[in-house]
Amino acid sequence: MAQKRWNWQSDFTEAVGELALRPELRQIRRYSHHRNVNRYDHTVRVALLSYRIARRLGWDARATARAAMLHDLFYHDRTCRPAGYHGWVILNHPEEAAANARQITDLTPKEENIILSHMWPVSRHAPHCREAVLVNLVDDWVAMRDYFRRAST
């Protein structure tokens, strides 16, 4: 009897599909994120890689993918400081992303911790679950790859 092959792409789409279609999330395509990549493409890369690793390890892949899709959900350039915005974006954007995510979907406590802690130890929120540590590490890895990726011509 042939073993059925796991179709991770359809499972990933099921986990994040409704989020990926939200206009609030698609709006972040406007913002450059790491030199040669827009913020939306960055979040998709983080979500996809995080999902695949979490799934392979038997962790909560759905929460991992959803939170990774929302981890950089903020609507301004990383270098600007909007009125009333105290501190650098690098330190405060996890709180802003979590607040924006709460407006478009219900977050589990695990998803919220993943979003809030994705900049740890630079930001003040520490990861409380292994999925949060995973997204934190994958975000760093993908950011480095984004930064050194050649600009498309």
Side-chain angles (χ1 to χ4, degrees):
M1 182 148 105
Q3 186 175 355
K4 185 176 178 183
R5 188 171 173 182
W6 172 51
N7 186 349
W8 64 265
Q9 289 140 329
S10 63
D11 289 348
F12 175 77
T13 301
E14 185 179 320
V16 301
E18 56 100 5
L19 293 175
L21 296 175
R22 294 294 305 234
E24 298 90 345
L25 192 62
R26 296 177 70 83
Q27 182 179 348
I28 64 175
R29 286 179 191 241
R30 292 191 250 179
Y31 304 103
S32 173
H33 200 57
H34 297 118
R35 190 172 166 202
N36 297 316
V37 176
N38 71 58
R39 191 171 301 147
Y40 180 84
D41 289 347
H42 167 78
T43 62
V44 170
R45 287 182 180 115
V46 173
L48 185 56
L49 183 55
S50 297
Y51 175 84
R52 291 186 72 187
I53 294 169
R55 178 74 184 224
R56 183 167 294 245
L57 295 173
W59 297 356
D60 189 347
R62 184 181 191 317
T64 301
R66 284 176 45 83
M69 281 296 293
L70 299 166
H71 81 277
D72 280 334
L73 185 60
F74 60 101
Y75 306 112
H76 51 82
D77 189 292
R78 292 178 301 121
T79 60
C80 76
R81 293 182 187 171
Y85 196 79
H86 304 291
W88 298 339
V89 171
I90 195 168
L91 299 176
N92 295 325
H93 81 268
E95 288 90 357
E96 188 173 349
N100 290 335
R102 279 187 230 104
Q103 291 178 356
I104 66 170
T105 191
D106 292 329
L107 296 176
T108 66
K110 182 182 288 186
E111 291 168 344
E112 187 162 349
N113 180 249
I114 293 168
I115 296 167
L116 288 171
S117 65
H118 82 272
M119 291 300 294
W120 186 83
V122 177
S123 66
R124 64 179 161 243
H125 297 279
H128 296 300
C129 60
R130 57 191 177 194
E131 293 85 356
V133 174
L134 174 63
V135 171
N136 184 309
L137 294 172
V138 169
D139 183 38
D140 292 345
W141 169 254
V142 171
M144 292 299 292
R145 292 201 57 201
D146 290 348
Y147 186 78
F148 290 110
R149 181 181 305 263
R150 275 197 190 138
S152 56
T153 54

